[in-house]
Amino acid sequence: MKNNQIKPNKIRENASPWQGGIAKSITFIVTKDCQLACKYCYLVGKNEKERMKWPVAKAAIDYILSHEEMFPEASVTWDFIGGEPFLEIDLIDQICDYLKTEMFRLNHHWFNSYRFSFSTNGINYHTDKVQAFIKKNITHLSIGITIDGTRAKHDLNRIWKGDAQPERGSYDDVVRNIPLWLEQFPNAGTKVTISSADIPYICESVLHLYSLGIHEVNINCVFEDVWQEGDDKRFEDQLMQLADAIIDGGYYANYACSFFSEYIGKPLDPVNENQNWCGAGKMLSIDAAGNFYPCTRFAAYSLREKRPIIIGNVRDGIDKNKLRPFLTLDRMTQSPDKCKTCEVASGCAWCQGENYDAAATPTIYQRATAICLMHKARVRANNYYWNKLYRKLELEGSREDFEKNKPQVKPIDC
Amino acid sequence: MLQYLVILLDDTSASFCHYHVTKSTPRLMPLDTLKRGIRFGMIENLMIQFIYPNHALPQEYLEVIDTIDHSDIKPLAGDNADADIIVTDNWESDVSKLRDAVVVLRTCWAQFREHYSQLNNWLAVAKRLNVVVTDVERLNDDDREQYKAILETLSKEVEKLYVEGKSPQFNLLTDRMVLTEMNNCNAGDTTITLAPDGKFYICPAFYYDGENQSVGDLDNGLDIKNRQLYSLDHAPICRKCDAWQCRRCVWLNRKTTLEVNTPGHEQCVAAHLERNASRDLMLSLRSRGTFLPDKEEIKELTYLDPFEIATQWN
């Protein structure tokens, strides 16, 4: 299996300051079905009917590749999402073959500067069709398997769909595929989502993921207003325990956890640090009906309260007017006063889709702040982590060496 | 801060802006509602603007209206005696009836393109002329070139009037020359509308949109959620813009971009064509002698849509 180890092609950096060096992210919502019914899943409208058909996928590709001027980013990430995307592996394989052929035929600037990206629950990872797809596309592929931590933590939320009692967790069905995944993607990270009920399991779960061989744990609190009184204190306690475990156990040298970052918890300049956090509008999502969205979170199946924001479709193309609010949105304009003057503002994220869904009017210009106390708790634990770690390294005389070689984490916040 | 209260006296009150009156059956605002609306305006210290329908109002309504200092916006087609502003969407109107009047001419783009040369007559008699291209959001690139050319033609006519010693006021060409800051509709910010149903709306357009988009009522007061989004400082494109004469229609904004604080491309382009035509007119008049010496020259721009330079802002 060593031959299957992935060395993804380097994604070129985008020089445009507007795009901030990111690649264009284009997401196919290939199905709204999933084997699981995770309790914290923001996809409130999952169903078995809305599966993308090939003609829709082809029309989307034809539109996008034939409008090269509208997509100037140097690179592209073709993202596949569900539900569970690998339920539609046949369609995905067809899409990817067509993309490669067409990018080559058109001499498109994305040819050889693309990546296929998947977030999967991992259940079908080992199947013949998925493995064949991986082998075929191995040099242009990134796959993240979501495993939430210990069996207790994972099975608390990530349960199989259906009415069976007791609830059936999916931990065993996922963890069996982790060794194969890490063999093929040794640098892969996993994404962990924290809701109120998960807080007691944070420390043990991150350590458990490390023990499975996962070196990069991207972890974040949900943006929805699910938090209970006292959760911030419990969260802080868990992160303090985790900080001690990572530092005392020496994990910091080779493992990363996105909760701890040197760049969070600082005030932000209202002028020079006024950028929007979220990439909605710079991304493009396509659903089974052929509708375009500024992000998957604006599709109907993601929204509790609001109508979807459709910015075009595969037949009529993109309505650029619908993108203007997204592309001119800044931090200060959408933030309430408490965020504008917050002394620990940096690193406090938001999801534009959740902002929209939770807003008092149908606007993306009202920042939801349900995460406020959790962010502040994170900042306190984060301060503790770095103060403790740097003191330890200084006493050991190894700080400089650590600074040069410290593991990096690429935060995934939605 | 609210300054103006628009009161629609009837479901068929004349439109004076981009929106169309979607109700065809006359229905007067109940007299008690009118009284309470006036009382609200007095308590909140608002200047009231009454919008009239084509049909005549009962005497008792006129008496109630007369209990407060106000402005009257009346359709040309009805009894418009004592109107402060006369509105019409009829290019065939008898312009002799518009002498020294403040006039709003509503027109679709197709009709504007066809009849614009008649505006000489309107400008010659009216004290002020506001032209509202009701479907400005549908202007395409070809229309844009044509609009530019039409404004150039009209500019020559306006210039002639100035040379003759007159002071024409024409929203598309002269407003920008005299403004020193944004002067927009400001619905939801400084202006609110009371409809015949006794409810408040951001502007009449939101009443006629069909969905329940009220922002309060006379019983419970105003309840404008996310009110800050109607102010200029919460409009990322507009607050950087100097097309100060732009109507900045929040209803059109929402229609085209889904956000009240974000204009669509077409509204921006039209406003900039007007701005640029005003610039040329101002330069031309100054070449003839002193003209508005206290006003700064309107700068030359390289874009017609401020969104094009949005990348430089963040």
Side-chain angles (χ1 to χ4, degrees), chain A residues 16-18 271 274-276 307-310 319-325 327-330 332-335 340 356 359-366, chain B residues 137 211 224-226 228-230 233-237 239 254-259 261-266 268 305-308 310-314:
Chain A
S16 163
W18 180 257
V271 175
N274 191 26
Q275 296 87 352
N276 191 27
R307 295 177 182 172
I309 290 186
I310 297 171
D319 179 349
K320 291 180 183 175
N321 274 339
K322 299 287 192 303
L323 282 177
R324 288 162 73 97
L327 300 180
T328 50
L329 185 56
D330 59 67
M332 295 294 280
T333 306
Q334 67 184 299
S335 295
K340 293 176 184 172
Y356 171 66
T361 60
T363 181
I364 60 170
Y365 278 78
Q366 183 189 341
Chain B
E137 77 278 10
E211 297 180 22
I224 307 175
K225 294 186 169 63
N226 279 319
Q228 75 282 1
L229 296 181
Y230 297 97
D233 63 351
H234 276 71
I237 294 176
R239 69 188 177 210
R254 203 202 52 177
K255 185 177 174 183
T256 54
T257 72
L258 305 180
E259 293 285 351
N261 67 345
T262 309
H265 171 71
E266 297 77 13
C268 287
D305 180 355
F307 179 78
E308 292 171 20
T311 54
Q312 299 166 23
W313 298 343
N314 290 315

Side-chain angles (χ1 to χ4, degrees), chain B residues 29-70:
Chain B
M29 171 178 278
L31 192 60
D32 182 58
T33 303
L34 176 60
K35 290 177 182 174
R36 293 174 67 204
I38 291 173
R39 180 179 164 80
F40 177 86
M42 293 168 77
I43 290 170
E44 298 296 329
N45 206 26
L46 305 177
M47 179 68 192
I48 298 179
Q49 298 170 322
F50 292 105
I51 317 297
Y52 289 70
N54 282 350
H55 63 83
L57 297 184
Q59 183 60 31
E60 55 191 349
Y61 276 70
L62 299 177
E63 289 170 3
V64 169
I65 288 169
D66 209 30
T67 61
I68 183 72
D69 188 22
H70 65 273

Side-chain angles (χ1 to χ4, degrees), chain B residues 88-101:
Chain B
T88 181
D89 54 9
N90 183 6
W91 281 93
E92 307 302 323
S93 299
D94 179 358
V95 292
S96 67
K97 293 182 178 176
L98 304 175
R99 184 160 302 281
D100 297 327

Side-chain angles (χ1 to χ4, degrees), chain B residues 123-134:
Chain B
L123 285 165
V125 297
K127 179 179 173 186
R128 174 177 173 80
L129 177 62
N130 278 7
V131 170
V132 179
V133 179
T134 54

Side-chain angles (χ1 to χ4, degrees), chain A residues 371-390:
Chain A
I371 207 170
C372 178
L373 291 179
M374 305 304 286
H375 172 70
K376 288 174 177 168
R378 178 191 173 200
V379 168
R380 290 192 293 272
N382 186 63
N383 291 340
Y384 172 81
Y385 175 88
W386 290 105
N387 279 312
K388 176 169 177 165
L389 177 58
Y390 279 138

